[in-house]
Amino acid sequence: MQGNGLKIGLIVAFLAMTVYYLFPTIQWNLEQRQMSELTPDELVQYQDENRERLENVKERTLNLGLDLQGGMHVTLEVGTPQLVRELAGEDADTLLNNVINEARQIALDNDTDFIDEMLNVFEARDANARLSRYYRNDAANITRRSTNDEIVAFLKTQRGMALDRAIEIIRTRVDRFGVTEPSIVKQGTDRIIVELPGVDDPERVMNLLKGTARLEFRLAADAQDFGSFIQQTYNYFDNVADTSADSLALGAFNPLVEVLTPAQSPYVLGYAEEQDTVRVMELLRDPNIRRMMPRNTTIMWSANTIPFSQDGPEVYQLYGVKTQVELTGEVIEEASVQFDPATNVPEVSMSMNPDGARTWGRITGANIGKPVAIVLDGYIYTYPNVQTKISNGRSSITGVENVQEAEDLVNILLSGALPAPLEIMGSRTVGATLGEASIKAGLNSVLIGLSIVAIFMIFYYRTGGAVADIALILNIVFILGILAGFRATLTLPGIAGIVLTIGMAVDANVLIFDRIREEQRSGKTIKAAISAGYSNAMSAIIDANVTTGFVALILLSFGVGPIKGFAVTLLAGIACSLFSAIIITRVVIDYLTRTKVDAVSFG
């Protein structure tokens, strides 16, 4: 053992560090087993009494991937058609809208690029027409003289920038949501793949991901004009009521009143239950109704319901607002959850930058006694009457249902608005039961692989094989400790990497032990053979592991998802297998041969 003091110190230090990082995982599994034996009432009480301790333990456990602990896998797509339409701004006309709608359908049917299809449709209508009539950008050198190909290149660049910005915003939102080790990667030119391990509230996550956070401040519709429009609308549907023979017998009915209850406010068109809102909008799309709508006015639903009466149903309100947006969410600097001191109801408090505060002061000062709508993603959250001029740039979003919704709104506002809407193209939820089955299958594969290798090593290399098996077991413990220490995520491909490492880990010992055999056959003593075996096999061991390490680094750099998880585990396995094969086995063999040279046999 002389001269092995440093090696023993390294082994003890490495083992202690591994146990330190793995202990919370062991502790959490024991807690889970204990909690599974409690009754529901006892479980609730135990979790309440130990909530902080359990959260601290869980936070430091070995992270498991989506395939092992369950969660959500979501595919999002940037809404390129709407982005292209918005880039045209006020220059967009009926022709461009028709081209966009036709190109969108063709791209969906043929699974082709929307922007390329848009160019084809545009030129098919007029080969000499130029897209530059709709798009200008001085920074990108896009002018009236730009060719259609240059415009297409510009639009694709803008789409790429929107995709990168969307990924950043989603990552910020997910981090604020508290998901451990999410995977957010780009797929193709306009899609994002999001994997969220451990998520147990899919609906909340969906709203978080797709919410564009387009915050707008709008003025209420003119009370006199909109009040007149309300009356004209109900009268119109009175006049067009079905007067067939059957309805004459039963009495004519107003189709709008069937789904929309009139309101007393000159700013509210009516109240409707959730299942009736679609029908209401279908009726109001009547061209005659659109012609009656006051200029620069539109209608929007409330974001949340209110009780229609004490025992009545929950209903949404349909408000009248100006089409012009006075302020946007870009002026918001801070947002936080606050509570109304009178009712203790949660609300979102916002503060604006200096420019926004000045504009907000001007708006509120000019509209005292009138409502102002705070709109988020096309729905009105707050429609308060302005009591006085607000010059400090502070305002609140009320009408949120609970603290959780308020926190999500703050998250979305602070993360920023998405540059384009995201459409959910597909999602799937991996249940915890499936994750448990994957863990069991992975553990079984590790145990079976470990057993086969261990039996072979003992059978073929005798004592030396048994020593290698001890190092092999420690090698697996070290790998898990490294993953836990670096907060890496263990996935099913990662378990495959561990199984591969089991086979690779004994490769170094095979080289060493066979070299020791050769040295013994040449007449050297056992100690001399051991020393020569380790030193002479070193170059081959280093070469084999370095080349494998380079491959793992390439996979880590360019791979995504499962490939990256495999690469991380493989790199950790290479480092640990070198340490265990070269240092641990040498220390154990030196200890066994310190007094009795024939205590070790290599077969």
Side-chain angles (χ1 to χ4, degrees):
M1 295 293 289
Q2 192 174 7
N4 282 336
L6 179 60
K7 294 179 182 179
I8 293 174
L10 284 174
I11 295 171
V12 172
F14 203 4
L15 186 60
M17 182 183 67
T18 301
V19 171
Y20 172 78
Y21 284 118
L22 283 179
F23 181 73
T25 302
I26 298 171
Q27 187 180 4
W28 177 251
N29 288 330
L30 293 175
E31 290 283 357
Q32 290 288 91
R33 183 175 299 179
Q34 178 182 343
M35 288 189 291
S36 66
E37 298 174 354
L38 300 176
T39 64
D41 292 338
E42 291 174 339
L43 178 61
V44 172
Q45 182 180 355
Y46 183 80
Q47 289 177 331
D48 288 341
E49 293 175 352
N50 301 274
R51 185 173 302 280
E52 185 174 351
R53 181 178 64 84
L54 291 175
E55 288 178 354
N56 290 334
V57 172
K58 185 177 181 181
E59 187 177 346
R60 293 184 291 122
T61 57
L62 176 63
N63 296 324
L64 300 179
L66 178 69
D67 48 5
L68 294 182
Q69 69 166 310
M72 286 191 65
H73 178 284
V74 184
T75 302
L76 302 167
E77 184 175 275
V78 173
T80 308
Q82 183 166 336
L83 176 66
V84 168
R85 185 181 287 109
E86 290 181 358
L87 287 172
E90 296 180 355
D91 292 327
D93 55 15
T94 303
L95 172 62
L96 181 64
N97 287 329
N98 292 338
V99 168
I100 289 174
N101 293 334
E102 186 177 345
R104 173 196 286 167
Q105 192 59 49
I106 294 174
L108 285 174
D109 293 341
N110 301 329
D111 193 22
T112 52
D113 187 276
F114 163 77
I115 295 178
D116 290 336
E117 294 295 350
M118 174 183 162
L119 176 62
N120 294 335
V121 173
F122 185 77
E123 291 184 340
R125 296 190 175 212
D126 185 351
N128 297 318
R130 287 194 171 188
L131 283 168
S132 58
R133 63 188 284 191
Y134 301 111
Y135 301 100
R136 291 189 305 278
N137 188 293
D138 294 337
N141 197 28
I142 298 299
T143 67
R144 290 291 187 188
R145 297 182 178 181
S146 298
T147 65
N148 287 348
D149 289 338
E150 290 174 336
I151 298 296
V152 166
F154 164 73
L155 293 177
K156 288 184 177 180
T157 300
Q158 293 297 313
R159 179 178 61 186
M161 294 171 61
L163 184 64
D164 292 338
R165 175 64 178 150
I167 290 175
E168 292 177 7
I169 291 172
I170 289 174
R171 181 171 286 110
T172 302
R173 292 183 185 180
V174 169
D175 288 344
R176 290 177 180 274
F177 186 75
V179 178
T180 304
E181 293 297 325
S183 172
I184 304 170
V185 295
K186 183 190 303 185
Q187 184 185 65
T189 59
D190 58 0
R191 289 195 175 184
I192 303 170
I193 304 297
V194 182
E195 290 188 349
L196 306 173
V199 169
D200 56 3
D201 192 347
E203 184 177 354
R204 183 183 176 194
V205 171
M206 290 290 198
N207 293 332
L208 190 72
L209 292 178
K210 69 182 181 180
T212 57
R214 292 174 181 266
L215 182 66
E216 300 170 345
F217 296 83
R218 296 179 183 235
L219 296 177
D222 182 83
Q224 183 175 350
D225 291 343
F226 196 72
S228 175
F229 166 73
I230 293 173
Q231 187 63 45
Q232 292 174 13
T233 299
Y234 285 102
N235 290 340
Y236 170 79
F237 283 104
D238 277 335
N239 295 331
V240 299
D242 188 3
T243 55
S244 63
D246 291 338
S247 64
L248 287 173
L250 298 173
F253 66 93
N254 184 319
L256 183 62
V257 174
E258 289 289 312
V259 289
L260 188 70
T261 303
Q264 300 300 317
S265 169
Y267 302 108
V268 180
L269 186 57
Y271 307 100
E273 296 182 56
E274 183 176 8
Q275 67 271 18
D276 295 328
T277 54
V278 174
R279 176 58 179 161
V280 170
M281 299 309 291
E282 288 177 354
L283 291 171
L284 296 179
R285 277 194 285 269
D286 187 308
N288 294 311
I289 295 295
R290 291 187 176 185
R291 281 192 289 270
M292 288 188 288
M293 179 79 71
R295 291 187 61 188
N296 302 321
T297 303
T298 188
I299 51 177
M300 286 184 172
W301 289 105
S302 61
N304 297 301
T305 59
I306 60 169
F308 184 69
S309 60
Q310 186 172 1
D311 299 320
E314 295 288 320
V315 294
Y316 290 92
Q317 302 173 83
L318 189 56
Y319 293 102
V321 295
K322 294 290 186 181
T323 55
Q324 179 181 349
V325 178
E326 303 291 335
L327 271 176
T328 66
E330 294 178 356
V331 302
I332 302 299
E333 280 190 329
E334 296 179 3
S336 61
V337 179
Q338 302 292 335
F339 293 87
D340 188 308
T343 62
N344 203 35
V345 174
E347 59 186 42
V348 176
S349 176
M350 303 175 294
S351 60
M352 303 177 183
N353 59 29
D355 290 339
R358 283 193 294 271
T359 304
W360 187 233
R362 175 181 57 78
I363 293 170
T364 53
N367 290 276
I368 294 176
K370 300 177 183 178
V372 175
I374 299 180
V375 183
L376 185 66
D377 291 343
Y379 293 94
I380 295 176
Y381 272 80
T382 310
Y383 201 82
N385 277 318
V386 178
Q387 304 296 330
T388 183
K389 178 180 179 179
I390 303 173
S391 56
N392 60 3
R394 299 199 65 86
S395 56
S396 297
I397 298 178
T398 59
V400 293
E401 294 185 348
N402 48 51
V403 175
Q404 186 180 83
E405 183 182 347
E407 289 174 346
D408 288 346
L409 277 177
V410 169
N411 180 351
I412 292 173
L413 290 173
L414 293 180
S415 301
L418 289 169
L422 291 177
E423 300 176 16
I424 296 178
M425 306 305 295
S427 66
R428 70 174 187 269
T429 302
V430 179
T433 303
L434 182 59
E436 290 177 5
S438 299
I439 293 175
K440 289 180 180 178
L443 289 176
N444 289 338
S445 65
V446 171
L447 292 175
I448 292 171
L450 180 62
S451 301
I452 293 173
V453 172
I455 292 171
F456 171 80
M457 291 296 291
I458 293 174
F459 175 77
Y460 197 76
Y461 292 107
R462 308 299 186 212
T463 312
V467 173
D469 290 343
I470 294 173
L472 186 60
I473 294 172
L474 289 175
N475 180 45
I476 297 174
V477 176
F478 290 154
I479 293 172
L480 296 176
I482 288 176
L483 294 177
F486 283 96
R487 304 298 298 158
T489 301
L490 180 64
T491 61
L492 206 54
I495 292 178
I498 294 177
V499 176
L500 177 61
T501 302
I502 290 172
M504 295 174 55
V506 296
D507 179 61
N509 287 125
V510 169
L511 292 173
I512 293 169
F513 295 164
D514 276 332
R515 191 58 190 251
I516 291 174
R517 282 177 167 183
E518 291 179 10
E519 299 294 339
Q520 283 184 300
R521 284 195 292 268
S522 68
K524 290 185 179 180
T525 63
I526 183 65
K527 286 191 175 182
I530 290 171
S531 179
Y534 273 93
S535 61
N536 293 330
M538 195 60 61
S539 60
I541 293 171
I542 296 298
D543 288 345
N545 283 276
V546 166
T547 52
T548 308
F550 277 130
V551 173
L553 284 173
I554 292 172
L555 292 176
L556 183 64
S557 300
F558 298 100
V560 294
I563 296 176
K564 198 167 188 176
F566 175 81
V568 169
T569 311
L570 185 58
L571 278 174
I574 290 171
C576 294
S577 62
L578 281 173
F579 181 78
S580 60
I582 296 172
I583 296 180
I584 295 179
T585 58
R586 181 63 186 272
V587 169
V588 175
I589 289 173
D590 283 350
Y591 176 79
L592 294 176
T593 58
R594 73 192 190 285
T595 57
K596 193 175 180 181
V597 294
D598 60 349
V600 177
S601 170
F602 295 97

